[in-house]
Amino acid sequence: EAEVAQSPRYKITEKSQAVAFWCDPISGHATLYWYRQILGQGPELLVQFQDESVVDDSQLPKDRFSAERLKGVDSTLKIQPAELGDSAMYLCASSLQRPPDTQYFGPGTRLTVL
Amino acid sequence: DQQVKQNSPSLSVQEGRISILNCDYTNSMFDYFLWYKKYPAEGPTFLISISSIKDKNEDGRFTVFLNKSAKHLSLHIVPSQPGDSAVYFCAAANAGNMLTFGGGTRLMVKP
């Protein structure tokens, strides 16, 4: 069964450093999402792509976060500089079409900022 | 402003009994609702969904009920199995727009 791939699975960094996360969606899925999940809370959408275009980044802290999906396939989420409050699980998901089409999630990247 | 709320952070149920997980929402524009299940160290996996034109959707042991007037949905698992122990998230959307997730309920099914 096709899956969403994410790497790394775990990342520990010091504050003010730069970090980057990678996501490879299920083949053929045009819509890709990045979510942040803080412990004890539900996932919160950071950015949504339709092919290579950003559809929604209203919740993305643009002063330090950036996301790209240059060829409309895999995607990278970057944080620079990282802050203590960025410690969370970063989840990538993909779907064939826009919401509310079923989203398939990757295993996530657990970020710890020291 | 939490538009989707799961007021019970945890629920413990005996194996074989019914598990009922609840979810409330405030945005009357939501017209599609989903439940996701999450095991530790894994991403959420889709479980079941319901459109606002229905009040019930069933898939095997899982049934979702929607009460639009009360802005409330629930997930019933019958019979509950130890493998159902996980965190369950409800999510809501209106067509073309992003999913809004609740905070999750941890279900523990005891053998």
Side-chain angles (χ1 to χ4, degrees):
Chain A
E1 185 176 301
E3 295 180 341
V4 175
Q6 287 189 250
S7 66
R9 292 294 305 274
Y10 303 92
K11 179 70 177 179
I12 299 174
T13 190
E14 294 185 346
K15 62 179 182 179
S16 78
Q17 296 298 304
V19 292
F21 313 132
W22 176 80
C23 173
D24 191 14
I26 293 173
S27 179
H29 281 196
T31 313
L32 184 146
Y33 316 79
W34 282 102
Y35 288 89
R36 176 171 60 187
Q37 185 185 7
I38 296 169
L39 194 63
Q41 299 181 18
E44 176 191 25
L45 182 71
L46 292 174
V47 61
Q48 177 185 332
F49 288 92
Q50 185 66 27
D51 300 309
E52 67 277 5
S53 300
V54 173
V55 173
D56 186 341
D57 64 355
S58 56
Q59 302 301 313
L60 189 71
K62 298 182 189 63
D63 56 336
R64 297 184 300 108
F65 286 64
S66 63
E68 60 183 18
R69 193 185 184 197
L70 293 176
K71 296 183 180 179
V73 180
D74 59 340
S75 175
T76 302
L77 177 70
K78 296 179 181 177
I79 308 175
Q80 183 174 17
E83 295 181 352
L84 295 177
D86 296 332
S87 295
M89 175 74 82
Y90 290 83
L91 293 161
C92 179
S94 69
S95 61
L96 269 174
Q97 301 176 25
R98 296 187 182 211
D101 198 34
T102 301
Q103 297 181 25
Y104 297 86
F105 284 81
T109 296
R110 168 73 66 189
L111 173 67
T112 302
V113 182
L114 303 175
Chain B
D1 176 29
Q2 271 192 295
Q3 298 189 67
V4 180
K5 287 186 180 180
Q6 295 176 254
N7 291 318
S8 297
S10 65
L11 174 68
S12 183
V13 171
Q14 202 68 36
E15 180 179 5
R17 305 295 290 269
I18 184 172
S19 296
I20 300 176
L21 296 97
N22 293 304
C23 179
D24 297 295
Y25 61 96
T26 57
N27 189 340
S28 58
M29 298 300 292
F30 288 144
D31 57 8
Y32 198 77
F33 304 89
L34 307 91
W35 285 93
Y36 280 82
K37 178 170 70 174
K38 186 181 185 302
Y39 292 119
E42 295 183 13
T45 55
F46 171 73
L47 194 57
I48 192 169
S49 62
I50 187 167
S51 164
S52 62
I53 62 173
K54 295 185 174 181
D55 54 18
K56 177 182 174 181
N57 189 27
E58 190 171 354
D59 183 3
R61 297 185 296 114
F62 302 90
T63 304
V64 57
F65 296 91
L66 176 62
N67 182 334
K68 291 186 290 294
S69 60
K71 294 190 179 67
H72 176 84
L73 65 154
S74 61
L75 174 68
H76 293 209
I77 307 173
V78 183
S80 301
Q81 299 173 355
D84 296 329
S85 297
V87 177
Y88 289 79
F89 293 99
C90 70
N94 54 311
N97 290 331
M98 67 179 192
L99 286 184
T100 301
F101 283 83
T105 296
R106 181 176 301 279
L107 173 66
M108 292 164 283
V109 180
K110 297 179 288 186

